[in-house]
Every structure is written in structure tokens, then in C-alpha cells.
Amino acid sequence: MNPPSRRLRLVLVVTAVLLLAGGSLGYVLHARHRERPPAQGVDASFGALEPGLYFRDATGGRIARQGGPGLPRVTGGPSCDRFHTAGGHALCLRKLPGLPARTEALVLDRRMREVRKVTVPGIPNRARVSASGQVLSWTTFTTGDSYNTAAFSTRTAILDLRTGYLIKSIEQIPLTLDGARHHDSDVNYWGVTFAADDNRFYATVSTRGATHLVEGDLRAWSAKALRENAECPSLSPDGTRVAFKKKVSDDPRAPWRLYVLDLATMREHPLAEARSVDDQAAWLDDATLAYALPGQGSRASDVWSTPADGTGEPALLVPGGSSPVRVDQGRPAAVGQQDAPGHGSTQTTGVFGRIENPAPQAATRFDGANAVSLVVHWAS
């Protein structure tokens, strides 16, 4: 057998060096990623997203966790004006200083490390994460600061973490109202809530002086109105009901009441909470809703709970809290958020399509009047 030629030996040596270098670089990058500290402003003692009730502590504006009845609050989470978490991701909205008003939408992983940060115009208002943790939405007031006035305007965004697609405003989604395609410059959307398939969603649309509950389809990029006079919907964990606030009075001090709508029968019933709730209620489980009300005494706000079937009585859940959301034991972390991830996948699929061979890069495309940013990155 003839010995290998000098050229072949050189090729083999170079190949071996490249393989070793690539493996070392991959190890270094992976180690650096794993050692990434919590996002700025998060205490190391706050830890990961563990089971419990999360809420914004009105005293200092930071997120806290209540592990269970009788257990002490765990403080030291991020500073947020609005907060929501599910599936191993958290969404923190916070108002930035200065004028004009701007909001920072901060996406965190289950170890409270920054995944994505987006700055948008307006004042923080609504935040939601899908059950899988992969699709997120936020709403800001770009004009005004209350739904209880005629002079307000909102901007609602949807972000798909699997592909990086960011829809900066969903106002251009084709809307069907009363069986016909609806066009109007006064259309405003807010308060998105996601179904378990990460495709279907519900939201509020306001146009021509009326609000409507809409059902949207991200893949088909369409929305249709289901009923009038419904705001800030929240889909139940089993996907069968929507909690919402309904305008029941022209009194500006108490215009709304919480209702629950059965999506199969389209029948609604009021909840036992008779006070006016200006919040996007959160389901603690299939039978209980939580929401914020103006606080008692010197507290800015309190979190209350009430049965979803309209029976019982409201109960004070968290004095001095807002933005309640429950993380249950046993829910899986978001895809790509395990401690030792693999990067062998050659494609990423989300509700807005598939991207082959994802690699760190950035691009921007334009869909009608909406700039849609695309940032593809390896998950932690």
C-alpha cells in the first residue's frame, strides 16, 4: 500500500485542525451562553421561573413571586409596568424615561436572562405570552392613557420567537365585520390572548365608536369579529371560554364589569365581582380568574380573584399587587430553553413560516405599512 501523498497529508491535517477549532469555538460559545447572567435589574436570588403566583409589587415596581399560601414573597425580579409569563418565557414591559413616551418590551428566558429587547412608542398597557412561551404580544397607548376616553390610540405587536418575526402593528390585518371586509382608519387593536396552537388568537378591535371581540388567524393573516362590546379578552386554559370586560355604564368612574363568554354557545354571564375592572384578567386555573383593582388605603393596586362561573365572592389575593400570572408545577420549559440545548436543527418553523438553516443574522421586510423585523438567533 503506497503511503499518502504530501498533499493528502496536508489536507488531513488541515481538516483535523478545523474540526478541533470548530469544536472548541462551539464549546466556548455554548459555555458563554450558559453563563449569561440574569437581565439587568434582576437579583440573582430571584432565581428561575418556579411554580407560584407572579405579580408586580406596587411598592417598588418589581416582579415578585408568592410560592403558596402562607409562604413569604420572593422579591427581586425585574422592574416592569406590565408582566406576563408562560412556557418558560417572560414578557416585561416598562416605560422608558423622557418624551415622547416609549416602552421597552423585554423578553426573558426561564432563568431571567434577556432573550430579546424591543423599543416601541407609547405607554405600557397589555402583555401576553402564549402557553408554549413562543408567541408574545404587547399593547401600548400611543395616544392617551385610558380606554375610558374617546381620545386614545393603541399599537399592538406580535412576536414569534421561533422565527424572530416581529409584527410591529397588527392594524393592517384583514378584518371581517358583520360578514363584510372592514376598512377604516380608526381601527385599533389591543389585549391579545393566544390559543394553545400558537396560531389562533383573540383580541379587542375598536372602530366607529364600538368595540368587538375578534378571532384572529396568524397563518391566514385574517381576523373576524365575533361579538360587540367586549374588551381585553383572556382565553381559559382549556380554550373554551373567554373572560372579558364589558361596558355596562356610561359612568366614567365605573364603566365595566367582568364577564365570561362560552365560545361554543356564545352565551355570557357576569362574574361575582361587581366593581369596575379595567384589566385583562388572568386565569389562575380553569375555574378562577385574577385581576387588579385600585388598592385599598395607601396601596396603588391590589390583586383579587373570583370564580369563573359567576358564583362565590371576590377574594383579596395580593395586597399591593398587579399583573398577576400563575406558573404551575410540571409545565414544560419553552422549546430551546433547556439547560443543555442542541443546535443540530436545520430549520425553524413558526406561525409566520419556516426559515432554513437558522443562523445569527438580521433583516427587515415590509408588509404593507408595517415594518416586520426578522431576527433569527439560536435559542438558549
Side-chain angles (χ1 to χ4, degrees), residues 203-205 211-213 227-233 244-246:
T204 303
V205 66
T211 62
H212 304 265
L213 173 68
R227 56 153 295 155
E228 195 172 335
N229 194 5
E231 300 182 49
C232 301
F244 64 97
K245 63 178 195 181
K246 178 179 180 179

Side-chain angles (χ1 to χ4, degrees), residues 60-310:
R62 302 182 71 176
I63 302 306
R65 178 178 65 244
Q66 188 87 36
L71 296 178
R73 290 185 182 184
V74 178
T75 58
S79 296
C80 308
D81 294 294
R82 294 289 186 272
F83 180 81
H84 197 257
T85 181
H89 279 124
L91 176 59
C92 171
L93 303 185
R94 47 196 182 197
K95 186 178 183 298
L96 295 174
L99 293 173
R102 295 176 303 147
T103 290
E104 182 178 79
L106 184 64
V107 182
L108 305 171
D109 68 11
R110 66 188 182 97
R111 295 187 179 276
M112 294 285 109
R113 301 172 301 191
E114 181 181 318
V115 173
R116 182 85 180 264
K117 183 164 58 178
V118 181
T119 300
V120 296
I123 300 171
N125 182 250
R126 300 288 183 248
R128 274 299 185 270
V129 182
S130 70
S132 72
Q134 296 302 307
V135 188
L136 305 89
S137 178
W138 57 82
T139 298
T140 60
F141 278 118
T142 54
T143 302
D145 60 3
S146 172
Y147 294 111
N148 195 27
T149 65
F152 75 86
S153 180
T154 60
R155 179 174 295 184
T156 294
I158 294 179
L159 170 64
D160 186 344
L161 290 178
R162 294 164 299 184
T163 59
Y165 275 116
L166 170 62
I167 305 298
K168 293 185 177 180
S169 174
I170 66 172
E171 287 186 3
Q172 298 301 317
I173 188 170
L175 171 64
T176 299
L177 182 63
D178 296 328
R181 178 75 166 88
H182 180 78
H183 302 269
D184 205 306
S185 60
D186 74 343
V187 168
N188 273 298
Y189 285 90
W190 66 84
V192 167
T193 182
F194 295 103
D197 62 2
D198 281 347
N199 175 59
R200 188 164 44 93
F201 69 92
Y202 297 89
T204 303
V205 66
S206 171
T207 182
R208 299 180 183 176
T211 62
H212 304 265
L213 173 68
V214 299
E215 180 182 22
D217 186 313
L218 291 174
R219 291 191 186 95
W221 194 236
S222 64
K224 62 179 179 181
L226 300 181
R227 56 153 295 155
E228 195 172 335
N229 194 5
E231 300 182 49
C232 301
S234 180
L235 186 64
S236 61
D238 63 9
T240 64
R241 293 154 294 159
V242 167
F244 64 97
K245 63 178 195 181
K246 178 179 180 179
K247 189 171 183 181
V248 295
S249 171
D250 291 327
D251 183 353
R253 297 168 298 177
W256 296 292
R257 182 163 181 176
L258 285 179
Y259 277 70
V260 167
L261 175 71
D262 186 305
L263 291 171
T265 64
M266 297 304 288
R267 294 177 180 173
E268 65 179 40
H269 63 262
L271 301 188
E273 177 58 79
R275 292 169 291 185
S276 183
V277 176
D278 184 9
D279 197 10
Q280 187 174 15
W283 292 81
L284 301 181
D285 51 44
D286 277 321
T288 313
L289 285 155
Y291 46 90
L293 282 169
Q296 299 178 350
S298 61
R299 299 191 298 266
S301 61
D302 294 328
V303 173
W304 290 75
S305 67
T306 194
D309 62 3

